[in-house]
Amino acid sequence: MATYQEFIQQNEDRDGVRFSWNLWPSSRLEATRLVVPVSCLFTPLKERPDLPPVQYEPVLCSRANCKAVLNPLCQVDYRAKIWACNFCFQRNPVSTPQWTKLSCRPKHYSTIEYRGRGPPTPLIFLYVVDTCLEEEDLQALKESLQMSLSLLPPNALVGLITFGRMVQVHELSCEGIAKSYVFRGTKELSSKQIQEMLGLTNPAASGRPVAPQDPAATCRFLQPVHKVDMNLTDLLGELQRDPWPVLQGKRPLRSTGIALSIAVGLLEGTFPNTGARVMMFMGGPPTQGPGMVVGDELKTPIRSWHDITKDNARHLKKATKYYEALANRAAVNGHSIDIYACALDQTGLLEMKCLSNLTGGHIAMGDSFNTSLFKQTFQRVFSKDYSGEFRMAFGGTLEVKTSRELKVSGAIGPCVSLNAKGPCISENEVGVGGTNQWKICSLSPSTTLALYFEVVNQHNAPIPQGGRGAVQFVTQYQHSNTQRRIRVTTVARNWADAQSQIQHIESSFDQEASAVIMARLGVFRAESEEGPDVLRWLDRQLIRLCQKFGQFNKDDPTSFKLSESLSLYPQFMFHLRRSPFLQVFNNSPDECSYYRHHFVRQDLTQSLIMIQPILYSYSFHGPPEPVLLDSGSILPDRILLMDTFFQLVIYHGETIAQWRKAGYQEQPEYENFKHLLVAPVDDAQEILQTRFPMPRYIDTEHGGSQARFLLSKVNPSQTHNNLYSWGQETGAPILTDDVSLQVFMDHLKKLAVSSAA
């Protein structure tokens, strides 16, 4: 019989689903006592090379408020040609064409992909480019954009908007002459005004936008790549820095807000309700017009956390509101917005994050467009899968259906609510709630949502022995090969009586998924609540979970024990409390926004690395081995490789650093030392070549200024306070007042066993 661990792994590989509990408590009361809600991480487009789409549409339940898709959990009466829906129990007669599909349906497939109806829709990319850049930066960006044109399929539509003090919308159909429409960067325009000025409305049709099928509507600003490849390559090559002079002590005037407003308005008028990508490249903060984040006086710094807590961030609320309105307009139409921000100072990501968070767009952050960090990250946006197709999907919607004992509380991830109403929606909202349908404008194979459920079955109405609860995920999206696709995943779990089967429920706990699910809840709360309040909430949940499942004698902390299925959970919470998702100290508002943006969309493996980085140790004694993320692992004769997802840090211990400085690796008799130095670099390269976004690569050593990246992450089991209680050569003391994991666990045990609690 498979263990729960094997069962969990099989389900993730097959369906892209990880539940917090794999045996569900059969009543509302018992579910609330479990502390961690019944919830899951779901990766809608998990890569499945063995799952070709079937060439027909799904068979739906005939009940109007159900419409669940036929799946392997349904009962089928082959003689009467009837199938019973496992969600609403409706008996559905099957027509002859449907029967043919039914008889050849894959009976064991819990996930199946269908070809949808509708004409193919082109891929649309609209570049929005900041020209207030240094010459070297602008040149590097132009080359990256020209490179990206060669990666696009020939029939993809592409457009170009540039901005500085003014905003220019470039006409791409003009042969031999560069023509653009120029807009003032300070004047806010409605979507209708933008479309009229660009000539996108048809006067005969009383000002309504022209239908997207009409090529005349799009030919000037959005053109097929194969038609304008040479033209656009030349146009990008000739782009100049913004011509407006910048006086000493001033910032360049950047009309980012208006440029984005025009991009959203252009796509609204030409391709409503069609997948499209706005790709914005900026080298500094918006400094004029609606959406400005800071003024043009350099002596006025951009807002810090201190300014925000003291309510001194003058433009924060107004700019955030402006970008949220733009993000919602884009999301409604299925258009995603990417932000590529490269500058040494902050660029306004805090105010603009919603543009990407609500539309599924990417955020990439770097120091300059002329770095491999940006160039590689941007190139990976266009990476291909095993069948040569882009790893991106457009205009997606996710619908979640549940059996009667469950209701949907909400979702946390790169999505917006579609405000659907139905019988399976809970009144207790978690994250983006009050609906069971969400729009996800852009998806990749790693895009992962956290979904939260509520058990609504009453305590006095027991579920029959052997009963199962079911959840169905229906993801509709535009594939990068321009087809509509529908992927349906249907999963079920057994109900259990929490009073007689509490040990079975406990062993079904997925501590890795639960850590990420609770962390997402914490990050979601941190957007609207004070940091200390979120930490207190997380601590309370952890204490309650330990009181529920820990084995202990009252008021005796030394007797406290957790079973194997929960043993790692407290240390995940310890590292989460210290992470940049919840601790704003030492991170700018933009950096926090960037880290949180990626955390709420990555899959389980990457999310766990973000919470608790991985540490490998390299020595002369054998192959690299994973070691504890602890100051005790920092030894003078070791090299450490730490992966935090956002950074890859290679740290050379004190002795190794001295040998390296002395140049021993250059001498033939120390070849084994040379191999030792190269090994972590090779392993880091493997990660650097595949991860999106590309991590920052840091090579440091004992006493180096960048050693702080490692020292701030490890558990400070040895600090300057307890240094003398440790023997020699057991690790490096950390100069910090943070508590160690040991102290954290001691406090946790004390609180969990306390009779006062």
Side-chain angles (χ1 to χ4, degrees), residues 145-146 149-150 154 158 160 171-178 223-238:
L145 294 174
Q146 287 168 328
L149 291 178
S150 66
V158 64
L160 176 66
E171 219 179 84
L172 300 181
S173 57
C174 301
E175 283 296 330
I177 180 169
Q223 284 273 289
V225 172
H226 68 87
K227 276 193 181 175
V228 293
D229 192 6
M230 298 294 292
N231 208 354
L232 186 51
T233 303
D234 293 346
L235 182 58
L236 287 168
E238 288 159 13

Side-chain angles (χ1 to χ4, degrees), residues 3 27 62 92 117 119 134 137 147 173 182 245 249 271 352 370 438 458 469 478 563 577 593 616 661 684 710 736:
T3 63
S27 75
S62 56
N92 299 283
R117 261 203 210 132
E134 294 298 324
D137 251 24
M147 172 277 301
S173 57
V182 182
F271 284 93
M352 303 170 82
N370 196 23
W438 297 268
Q458 290 307 320
Q478 179 189 326
S563 68
R577 294 173 94 264
S593 301
Y616 293 98
K661 214 167 271 175
L710 173 72
T736 182

Side-chain angles (χ1 to χ4, degrees), residues 234-248:
D234 293 346
L235 182 58
L236 287 168
E238 288 159 13
L239 277 185
Q240 300 293 313
R241 284 179 67 191
D242 189 53
W244 294 90
V246 181
L247 301 176
Q248 200 168 359

Side-chain angles (χ1 to χ4, degrees), residues 486-534:
I486 303 162
R487 189 182 283 207
V488 181
T489 296
T490 314
V491 294
R493 296 289 184 273
N494 290 340
W495 295 107
D497 175 20
Q499 281 163 331
S500 61
Q501 294 179 284
I502 190 67
Q503 283 182 315
H504 291 300
I505 292 176
E506 182 181 346
S507 58
S508 81
F509 184 64
D510 182 342
Q511 53 191 336
E512 294 181 341
S514 299
V516 175
I517 284 163
M518 293 302 276
R520 282 209 191 187
L521 260 177
V523 168
F524 185 83
R525 293 175 78 124
E527 291 292 329
S528 55
E529 295 177 31
E530 293 292 320
D533 294 345
V534 177

Side-chain angles (χ1 to χ4, degrees), residues 338-349:
D338 296 348
I339 301 174
Y340 303 92
C342 288
L344 291 169
D345 196 4
Q346 296 184 76
T347 54
L349 282 183

